[in-house]
Amino acid sequence: MTTVDVAEMLPRWDLESIFPGPESPEFREAADRAGLAITELTELFDGHGIGTRPMGAIDAQAIAIFDEVLTRYDATLEAALRIDGYLDCLTAADVTDEGAQAAADEWRELLVGLTRLAPKFIAWVATLDIAALVAGSPIAREHESTLRRLRHDAAHLMAPAEEDLAAALAPSSATAWMALRDELMALATAHLELDGEIRERALSDIDNLRLHPDRDVRRRGHEAAAGARRALA
């Protein structure tokens, strides 16, 4: 079995079922809608003091506010995760795709607004009487386990200003470094002898040799890839 045969056996992503491309009108429209939803959700959070003041007694009005906030937050997260996952797949498959990289950079900046809301929502959940909410709201009942987990997570939050700063800096700090690491790994190569020929091969190509039936080929592929990754560390 040759390296090409192994590669042909691997599954391939059909991303066109999500969007025709990162520069397509369909993707642009979805990203614009997601950006608008993030803006409107931020306004909703600000209007109800989410993360800045406790809910108070759980009455009919409090339940209505909770249901609206959670429903809108869920919908916005779902739309954002669809776009985020799509761009992650594109850039992971081909780091040289300039259109995908540009769209991902733009999306990371837009996503800051949603990232800033997460600690506010967690802090707000920590002030809620979850038992009373679950008793009066089917939506809260459906999300009870998540709400209780978030209440526990609230103990690990930083101060609000620090959480906001961390979210604002993410695109140019941790997220940027992870993107750089992924790009370097995707572009990295190593020399490997296979079928009597020494060639420079991409690490992704060498990693595919894990499926090779020859144990010695698998060993040499692992050693070549490990050496290349150590050189990048």
Side-chain angles (χ1 to χ4, degrees):
M1 181 181 294
T2 67
T3 306
V4 173
D5 293 330
V6 173
E8 288 176 349
M9 292 172 56
L10 297 175
R12 298 182 182 276
W13 293 326
D14 178 14
L15 298 179
E16 290 188 3
S17 62
I18 305 174
F19 297 111
E23 299 171 320
S24 66
E26 292 87 348
F27 174 81
R28 188 68 266 166
E29 181 183 356
D32 288 344
R33 283 200 308 268
L36 178 60
I38 292 171
T39 298
E40 293 176 342
L41 184 65
T42 300
E43 293 172 353
L44 180 68
F45 271 47
D46 291 343
H48 291 305
I50 305 302
T52 60
R53 61 176 183 266
M55 169 71 84
I58 302 300
D59 53 17
Q61 181 181 9
I63 289 174
I65 291 173
F66 172 83
D67 287 352
E68 181 185 13
V69 169
L70 184 57
T71 300
R72 294 269 296 278
Y73 192 29
D74 263 354
T76 305
L77 282 174
E78 183 176 354
L81 287 172
R82 182 168 179 257
I83 294 172
D84 207 50
Y86 171 73
L87 292 173
D88 279 349
C89 287
L90 280 182
T91 54
D94 184 2
V95 296
T96 65
D97 186 336
E98 294 183 0
Q101 292 288 358
D105 288 343
E106 184 178 348
W107 172 248
R108 281 193 288 267
E109 293 292 339
L110 187 62
L111 199 59
V112 169
L114 187 57
T115 305
R116 279 175 154 161
L117 298 182
K120 293 182 179 181
F121 183 76
I122 295 172
W124 182 62
V125 167
T127 71
L128 302 177
D129 184 339
I130 295 177
L133 269 176
V134 167
S137 166
I139 294 177
R141 197 173 308 127
E142 182 181 350
H143 294 81
E144 181 179 3
S145 61
T146 300
L147 293 173
R148 294 193 181 281
R149 176 177 57 79
L150 292 178
R151 188 168 190 171
H152 177 269
D153 292 347
H156 304 286
L157 289 174
M158 297 183 289
E162 293 171 345
E163 290 285 355
D164 194 62
L165 179 62
L169 292 178
S172 59
S173 55
T175 303
W177 278 111
M178 287 188 289
L180 177 61
R181 178 204 61 191
D182 292 344
E183 182 175 349
L184 289 174
M185 288 298 180
L187 294 174
T189 60
H191 287 87
L192 179 70
E193 184 274 325
L194 191 63
D195 298 329
E197 180 184 5
I198 298 178
R199 287 175 49 195
E200 185 178 21
R201 304 171 186 271
L203 290 192
S204 57
D205 186 21
I206 295 175
D207 285 341
N208 290 340
L209 296 177
R210 294 169 182 169
L211 301 176
H212 201 284
D214 189 320
R215 180 178 182 179
D216 185 60
V217 171
R218 296 196 302 270
R219 177 188 60 77
R220 286 187 286 112
H222 170 76
E223 291 174 353
R229 290 188 169 97
R230 282 195 298 270
L232 289 173

